[in-house]
Amino acid sequence: MRDEWRDETSTAEPPATPGGRPPLRTWITAAIVLVGFGVGFVMARDAMTSAVLFIAIMLGVVMVHEAGHFLTAKAFGVRVHEFAFGFPPRIFAKRIGETEYAVNWLPLGGYVRLEGEENASSPRSLAAKPRWQRLIVLTAGALVNLVLPVVLLSAALMIPHQEDEGHAKITGVATDTPAAAAGLREGDVILRVGSHDAKNLAEASRLVRIYQGKTVDVTVRRAGELVTIPVYARWTPPAGQGPTGISIAPESVNPADGRPYTVTVSEPPWEAIQHGAVMTWQTLILARNEVVGWVKGTTRPQFQGPVGIAQTTGAVARSSEPTAGAISPLLELAALLSINLGILNLLPLPMLDGGRVLFLVIEVARRGKRVRPEREAIVHQVGMAAFLVLALIVTFADISRIVKGG
């Protein structure tokens, strides 16, 4: 699901590497086939719909990413050899102008082939362009992935969908915690966190985590009166405690099943777009807080590969009623995956967009002196190999977890 950019000036398939080893594309294809078997395993255990939804969501998110690279490269006059949907083997291809548009059999991503990313020998290569243009092309895919969620979440809010009704009620306050020191009490009903309405339990929990590391005003209803209390949301709570040290539950539940009551809601476009942008920004804050938690040792990184995402997609689809409102949670899932893909690609790691940007930064630091193209290519190939190994490990872990009933 990554770009396959090569330093070449023809559309011919590159020859095997010295010693008769197959080209990198062969290894990529083999790894994707193995991952595909894992997704097929989930398909066998779940409804076919789950796999179809997973493929559709991942393809949409990845192809939007590739379109960002493609459009900016075209705008700056970089020669685009190929814009491909899926991975080889090929179904068909059509050349329009100088670019070949291809559709391939493995629908787990796509790629763009640009001329000369590391080698500036051709005037229409990416490497021959000014640094600011290269920076835009390299980051365009990730930036589009960070903007796309605004559209997806806005659409999700406009579509009539089910939401839990009723605020969160504090059911316990642990001793020697920020909540206890601030004066929050059992029985308080949380109405607002900061400047945001905490309309249900999930929203209250999410908002508190957004303000980790800060003191936030929590407005509660207590004995019929509104009380606003500043509470510190700590980074490193003890096990079993949240950032503030409270436990919460729905204010009211349906006695028939013990679950919160739900209500069908939708927002007009002018409100949905605003809220979609706010939700996207809040999700980015939560992602940052998660990374800070890794550094501070309060949480551990949790990885999920295509198989795990397929399982999650199926779970989301099954949890929704078979109505138009069922689309809303899937759009939210697509928005989350898009944000994850955008952040991942901005990391300064070999092979990723951020890794290529790192070489651009090194070039600036060296006052225009570039790293030799063959050396940069080797670094990215090593990164690709490490990425494929990690993908296979995560896929194996996902399958093992599913087999054990996880």
Side-chain angles (χ1 to χ4, degrees), residues 1 15 59 71 99 124 146 160 163 165 181 224 227 257 306:
M1 294 181 291
L59 270 178
L71 294 175
T99 303
R124 294 198 58 198
L146 297 180
E163 284 187 358
E165 188 177 27
V227 181
D257 56 14

Side-chain angles (χ1 to χ4, degrees), residues 251-329:
E251 183 180 10
S252 60
V253 297
N254 187 336
D257 56 14
R259 301 176 61 182
Y261 292 99
T262 60
V263 60
T264 301
V265 298
S266 63
E267 295 184 3
W270 53 92
E271 292 183 5
I273 293 173
Q274 178 184 355
H275 291 162
V278 170
M279 290 173 65
T280 300
W281 178 248
Q282 290 177 344
T283 304
L284 291 173
I285 294 175
L286 287 173
R288 181 208 62 182
N289 291 353
E290 183 73 13
V291 174
V292 173
W294 299 347
V295 175
K296 291 181 176 291
T298 57
T299 59
R300 293 185 301 175
Q302 296 184 1
F303 299 100
Q304 198 173 51
V307 175
I309 297 173
Q311 184 193 30
T312 300
T313 304
V316 171
R318 290 191 302 275
S319 66
S320 305
E321 296 294 331
T323 62
I327 300 176
S328 185

Side-chain angles (χ1 to χ4, degrees), residues 131 134 360-371:
R131 283 191 288 265
R134 282 185 277 154
L360 186 60
V361 173
I362 293 173
E363 177 185 329
V364 172
R366 299 175 68 185
R367 299 181 179 180
K369 184 179 179 180
R370 301 186 180 188
V371 176

Side-chain angles (χ1 to χ4, degrees), residues 185-239:
R185 302 176 187 173
E186 183 176 342
D188 288 346
V189 177
I190 301 175
L191 303 180
R192 293 177 66 84
V193 177
S195 59
H196 305 284
D197 290 332
K199 53 188 176 182
N200 52 39
L201 184 145
E203 192 75 0
S205 177
R206 185 175 67 87
L207 289 172
V208 169
R209 289 186 290 115
I210 287 174
Y211 286 99
Q212 278 187 277
K214 300 178 180 179
T215 297
V216 58
D217 288 337
V218 178
T219 301
V220 300
R221 185 175 66 242
R222 177 185 295 171
E225 297 183 357
L226 298 184
V227 181
T228 299
I229 301 173
V231 184
Y232 177 69
R234 54 196 170 171
W235 282 115
T236 56

Side-chain angles (χ1 to χ4, degrees), residues 44-355:
R45 293 174 60 90
D46 264 327
M48 178 69 72
T49 304
S50 301
V52 172
L53 289 172
F54 159 73
I55 292 173
I57 290 174
M58 289 305 301
L59 270 178
V61 169
V62 172
M63 294 312 296
V64 166
H65 176 98
E66 302 303 333
H69 294 308
F70 172 80
L71 294 175
T72 51
K74 284 283 191 181
F76 293 136
V78 178
R79 183 177 179 183
V80 181
H81 290 289
E82 183 180 4
F83 183 70
F85 179 93
F87 286 93
R90 178 166 296 178
I91 300 175
F92 69 86
K94 180 176 179 60
R95 179 171 295 278
I96 301 176
E98 64 185 14
T99 303
E100 188 174 49
Y101 299 86
V103 177
N104 298 316
W105 279 109
L106 298 177
L108 293 176
Y111 58 91
V112 174
R113 282 200 295 128
L114 306 182
E115 180 160 332
E117 185 178 347
E118 294 96 12
N119 194 332
S121 58
S122 169
R124 294 198 58 198
S125 66
L126 178 64
K129 299 300 178 181
R131 283 191 288 265
W132 68 272
Q133 292 185 1
R134 282 185 277 154
L135 178 63
I136 292 175
V137 174
L138 290 173
T139 58
L143 295 179
V144 170
N145 279 133
L146 297 180
V147 173
L148 176 63
V150 177
V151 178
L152 296 174
L153 292 173
S154 299
L157 292 171
M158 284 187 280
I159 297 173
H161 58 280
Q162 296 288 315
E163 284 187 358
D164 289 346
E165 188 177 27
H167 297 94
K169 183 177 181 179
I170 298 177
T171 57
V173 179
T175 57
D176 298 324
T177 61
L184 287 176
R185 302 176 187 173
E186 183 176 342
D188 288 346
V189 177
I190 301 175
L191 303 180
R192 293 177 66 84
V193 177
S195 59
H196 305 284
D197 290 332
K199 53 188 176 182
N200 52 39
L201 184 145
E203 192 75 0
S205 177
R206 185 175 67 87
L207 289 172
V208 169
R209 289 186 290 115
I210 287 174
Y211 286 99
Q212 278 187 277
K214 300 178 180 179
T215 297
V216 58
D217 288 337
V218 178
T219 301
V220 300
R221 185 175 66 242
R222 177 185 295 171
E225 297 183 357
L226 298 184
V227 181
T228 299
I229 301 173
V231 184
Y232 177 69
R234 54 196 170 171
W235 282 115
T236 56
Q241 293 186 12
T244 62
I246 61 174
S247 54
I248 56 179
E251 183 180 10
S252 60
V253 297
N254 187 336
D257 56 14
R259 301 176 61 182
Y261 292 99
T262 60
V263 60
T264 301
V265 298
S266 63
E267 295 184 3
W270 53 92
E271 292 183 5
I273 293 173
Q274 178 184 355
H275 291 162
V278 170
M279 290 173 65
T280 300
W281 178 248
Q282 290 177 344
T283 304
L284 291 173
I285 294 175
L286 287 173
R288 181 208 62 182
N289 291 353
E290 183 73 13
V291 174
V292 173
W294 299 347
V295 175
K296 291 181 176 291
T298 57
T299 59
R300 293 185 301 175
Q302 296 184 1
F303 299 100
Q304 198 173 51
V307 175
I309 297 173
Q311 184 193 30
T312 300
T313 304
V316 171
R318 290 191 302 275
S319 66
S320 305
E321 296 294 331
T323 62
I327 300 176
S328 185
L330 291 174
L331 291 175
E332 294 176 3
L333 176 62
L336 182 60
L337 293 177
S338 184
I339 290 173
N340 287 338
L341 182 62
I343 294 174
L344 175 65
N345 273 282
L346 290 177
L347 296 178
L349 301 176
M351 181 207 67
L352 300 177
D353 297 335

